[in-house]
Amino acid sequence: MLSIKRLCQSEARVLIAGAVQKAEQIGVPMCIAITDESGNLIAFERMDGGKVHSITISQDKAFTAASARKGTHEYNQACIPGSDNHLFGIHTALGGRLCIVGGGLPIIVEGEVIGGIGLSSGSPAQDMSCAQAGIDHFMQAYM
């Protein structure tokens, strides 16, 4: 039998709170998704002003980060046509759900991916910054 570490609702809310705080600081209302270690949604918040299309994008970013166990920006760098990584086109996998735009990060505790966080509505750099702020807030609260 496997023992799996998984985020609970209260922990997901802490991640969202950290991301919201950073989004407010930079003045960009975000859509924020939190998934479990398999990429299944467990919490979501659309800040007032968060873009409508970012609802799905943030969820896809969190799904990709958790299920692939790496940041979405890492896929982006590996998907350049003609690169040696041979990943060009992977963003079409899983019905287009695999996201290669920065803003999705795995949540790692003691070397294990326990979930994913995905943000959308800003630039990829802004989304990544808010995602990292959510993780940092979570780590301060629980580690």
Side-chain angles (χ1 to χ4, degrees), residues 10-18 109 133-143:
S10 63
E11 293 164 334
R13 293 286 164 211
V14 169
L15 285 152
I16 288 173
V109 173
I135 292 172
D136 292 345
H137 188 69
F138 169 79
M139 293 299 183
Q140 288 175 350
Y142 290 100
M143 299 299 127

Side-chain angles (χ1 to χ4, degrees), residues 17-85:
V20 165
Q21 184 178 17
K22 180 67 173 181
E24 288 173 341
Q25 178 186 2
I26 65 172
V28 179
M30 296 280 185
C31 291
I32 307 158
I34 309 296
T35 65
D36 66 15
E37 76 292 342
S38 299
N40 293 302
L41 186 67
I42 58 174
F44 174 81
E45 182 168 326
R46 178 180 174 204
M47 295 174 65
D48 291 339
K51 296 175 183 172
V52 173
H53 67 269
S54 293
I55 295 167
T56 302
I57 294 171
S58 65
Q59 292 176 30
D60 288 350
K61 287 180 181 184
F63 165 80
T64 301
S67 63
R69 288 155 172 51
K70 65 169 113 181
T72 53
H73 64 284
E74 294 178 65
Y75 267 125
N76 185 286
Q77 295 167 0
C79 288
I80 299 168
S83 73
D84 291 335
N85 295 318

Side-chain angles (χ1 to χ4, degrees), residues 96-114:
R97 186 142 193 233
L98 217 65
C99 189
I100 64 167
V101 178
L105 296 173
I107 303 161
I108 302 169
V109 173
E110 297 175 1
E112 287 186 51
V113 174
I114 63 166

